[in-house]
Amino acid sequence: MKLKNCRICKSTSLTKYLDLGLTPAADAFIKEEFKSSNDPVYPLEVCLCNDCGISQLNYTVDPKILYQNDYPYESSTTKTGRLHFDQFGESVVKKAELNSDDLIIDIGSNVGVLLGAYKKRGCKVLGIEPSKHIAASANQNGIETINDFISYNLAKKIVSKKGKASVINITNVFAHINNLESLMKAVDSLLTDNGMFVIEAPHFLNLIEGLVYDTIYHEHLLYISVKPLNSLFNRFGFEVFDVDEVSIHGGSIRIFVCRKGQHNKTKSVNQIIKKEEKANLFNISRLNLFSEQVKKHKKQLRELLLEIKKQGKSIVAVSAPAKGMTLLNYCEIDSNILDFITEKSFLKIGKYSPGAHIPIFSDEKLYEEKPDFALLLAWNFADEIIENLSDFKNSGGKFIIPIPKPKIV
Ligand SMILES: [Zn+2]
């Protein structure tokens, strides 16, 4: 569906500045039996709202296509990720002075890693997760999880059964929601009077400055900065009262939202807005420049890979995160360049990458085939992955880190 109104402020004044082409859904890994069919593709284009300043996709893929069937993203697969969520839970428990009476809700709770951090510290927890098998796996792990999309009706049901929540988390999911009005109505009915709504998302500032354009894919409808969100929260009587910068996913922000006047506003809120303005995140000339940099990056990466192939060397990719699929599809890196992809998650092993249909194997394949180069698609976890695959490196294998500037290590 083509976007008509800004998802945050409803404005119709939208300017497109980045076109990553027609691409398949980044998490739609292909099963063997569909290997020879063509994947459905959708426009992947980013526009600026000239009124509130948010950057967003100008096309919405039906969330049922994106999340309900075989959704393969499990948040607990890296050590760095698990540690991050544990520290995240600990810091909110302290900030909100939570105890065993408090209910914590996580929207898009995945397998329940963040809620586990609250539960460990004595809080009551409840997850909401649309993907059936991921919700089932959370329930198996002892994290009570409702298999559904968040909605006002669901919020009312939860309140009548469990009472209101002292903290509602939404981590790397806020940007996935097309109807934010409906989300805010649900939050409004679920949250206690002085409760906190905590949004964590990659900061758009880092996407622009770090050229992290591979994080643009159909699941990510919005590219989050603090300033534009105010117009949404204001309409519902909420405000941002604190912001923390965190290092995960190449630089994220944790935004603390409450009902107006319920918590003291810290200096960090205006500081981050000033930083966003100084970086020209709401300025179309800066965004057009970003778009040029993206085109140049594609050229550089392709040249590097084609040069390696010309020397008769082999290249594979290591890790198959959704963002890697944006990189492969946009840069037209197909099975003429990559022999295969290796991955830890059993939800992806044995399948094929969306678009180029490159086969995905477990990491062992790397040791069997001994390719010359491994392109790191989850480059934000480069240190951890390189350490895990030290035998590959010790036997002469080299890694290619693609972003922000392609380099060999
Ligand atoms: Zn807007």
Side-chain angles (χ1 to χ4, degrees):
M1 230 182 336
K2 179 95 177 145
L3 185 75
K4 290 197 188 88
N5 299 91
C6 168
R7 295 178 180 89
I8 296 285
C9 77
K10 304 282 159 206
S11 166
T12 52
S13 175
L14 306 168
T15 307
K16 179 176 115 176
Y17 62 86
L18 180 68
D19 186 350
L20 297 175
L22 285 165
T23 66
D27 265 321
F29 289 86
I30 311 297
K31 288 181 186 160
E32 182 75 34
E33 60 263 40
F34 302 116
K35 184 174 82 165
S36 315
S37 14
N38 287 328
D39 309 346
V41 291
Y42 314 94
L44 187 57
E45 300 172 354
V46 187
C47 64
L48 168 73
C49 170
N50 297 306
D51 285 314
C52 73
I54 198 89
S55 277
Q56 59 196 314
L57 294 191
N58 66 4
Y59 187 89
T60 312
V61 180
D62 184 347
K64 289 191 174 117
I65 296 172
L66 294 178
Y67 303 111
Q68 284 189 321
N69 302 319
D70 294 330
Y71 185 60
Y73 179 70
E74 279 192 314
S75 57
S76 60
T77 48
T78 67
K79 199 165 79 187
T80 318
R82 282 194 300 271
L83 182 69
H84 169 78
F85 284 119
D86 194 59
Q87 289 168 345
F88 185 174
E90 184 182 29
S91 75
V92 179
V93 166
K94 276 191 194 147
K95 193 193 266 288
E97 299 173 355
L98 302 175
N99 59 46
S100 57
D101 296 329
D102 291 299
L103 172 66
I104 315 304
I105 286 180
D106 191 8
I107 298 172
S109 50
N110 204 272
V111 289
V113 185
L114 175 59
L115 286 177
Y118 287 102
K119 195 180 175 189
K120 195 168 117 184
R121 291 169 177 87
C123 303
K124 293 183 279 187
V125 300
L126 179 66
I128 302 170
E129 169 56 50
S131 163
K132 199 172 166 185
H133 67 276
I134 289 185
S137 142
N139 279 309
Q140 267 163 25
N141 296 337
I143 303 293
E144 187 183 346
T145 301
I146 300 171
N147 175 217
D148 206 345
F149 287 100
I150 181 68
S151 67
Y152 179 59
N153 283 338
L154 180 64
K156 280 196 302 192
K157 266 188 223 161
I158 294 172
V159 173
S160 72
K161 274 196 190 153
K162 307 235 171 210
K164 293 194 173 190
S166 309
V167 172
I168 300 175
N169 279 278
I170 185 161
T171 300
N172 298 326
V173 171
F174 187 82
H176 297 215
I177 295 182
N178 186 42
N179 191 339
L180 293 167
E181 301 268 317
S182 155
L183 171 73
M184 288 310 296
K185 265 176 78 181
V187 168
D188 190 22
S189 72
L190 259 181
L191 197 66
T192 57
D193 286 349
N194 66 347
M196 296 181 184
F197 177 40
V198 186
I199 301 163
E200 186 170 289
H203 195 186
F204 184 53
L205 184 121
N206 299 311
L207 192 160
I208 290 294
E209 297 199 332
L211 206 65
V212 189
Y213 70 90
D214 57 342
T215 57
I216 298 170
Y217 46 90
H218 297 107
E219 289 163 30
H220 293 162
L221 297 167
L222 295 165
Y223 298 89
I224 304 291
S225 44
V226 176
K227 192 186 175 194
L229 296 185
N230 279 317
S231 77
L232 174 72
F233 297 142
N234 272 331
R235 291 206 300 281
F236 288 86
F238 283 76
E239 65 183 355
V240 177
F241 71 94
D242 197 8
V243 183
D244 285 340
E245 291 181 86
V246 283
S247 65
I248 195 115
H249 295 307
S252 288
I253 39 172
R254 193 173 291 161
I255 306 170
F256 293 86
V257 181
C258 65
R259 295 181 203 280
K260 274 183 194 163
Q262 285 289 341
H263 292 275
N264 291 331
K265 202 182 245 186
T266 68
K267 272 191 285 190
S268 62
V269 182
N270 282 330
Q271 278 166 354
I272 201 110
I273 290 175
K274 275 198 191 122
K275 208 167 151 184
E276 291 172 351
E277 285 170 338
K278 209 173 153 206
N280 286 318
L281 297 187
F282 316 118
N283 176 329
I284 193 67
S285 335
R286 173 66 184 96
L287 300 172
N288 284 330
L289 172 68
F290 168 75
S291 179
E292 289 308 311
Q293 291 167 328
V294 169
K295 284 181 204 152
K296 202 171 134 197
H297 178 269
K298 170 178 178 173
K299 199 166 162 264
Q300 285 171 340
L301 182 60
R302 283 188 59 80
E303 276 169 7
L304 175 73
L305 298 176
L306 292 173
E307 180 56 36
I308 292 172
K309 291 303 284 183
K310 224 167 88 187
Q311 292 166 10
K313 303 235 163 93
S314 56
I315 313 173
V316 304
V318 164
S319 62
K323 63 179 177 178
M325 303 309 115
T326 291
L327 192 81
L328 297 185
N329 285 318
Y330 172 67
C331 295
E332 298 169 76
I333 300 170
D334 57 16
S335 47
N336 292 319
I337 296 176
L338 296 181
D339 295 345
F340 55 86
I341 303 175
T342 73
E343 176 47 59
K344 269 192 172 11
S345 166
F346 72 94
L347 297 171
K348 295 177 186 171
I349 294 169
K351 294 187 179 167
Y352 294 81
S353 70
H357 293 190
I358 301 165
I360 301 170
F361 298 100
S362 70
D363 285 344
E364 277 79 65
K365 186 85 172 168
L366 200 63
Y367 298 113
E368 288 164 28
E369 301 288 332
K370 298 189 176 56
D372 300 299
F373 288 86
L375 175 65
L376 262 185
L377 296 178
W379 52 267
N380 51 322
F381 293 115
D383 292 346
E384 184 179 333
I385 294 172
I386 292 174
E387 196 189 311
N388 286 343
L389 301 175
S390 57
D391 288 350
F392 168 72
K393 198 162 186 241
N394 294 339
S395 62
K398 290 195 168 65
F399 289 98
I400 302 165
I401 298 181
I403 294 225
K405 199 175 182 321
K407 67 171 182 189
I408 294 171
V409 296

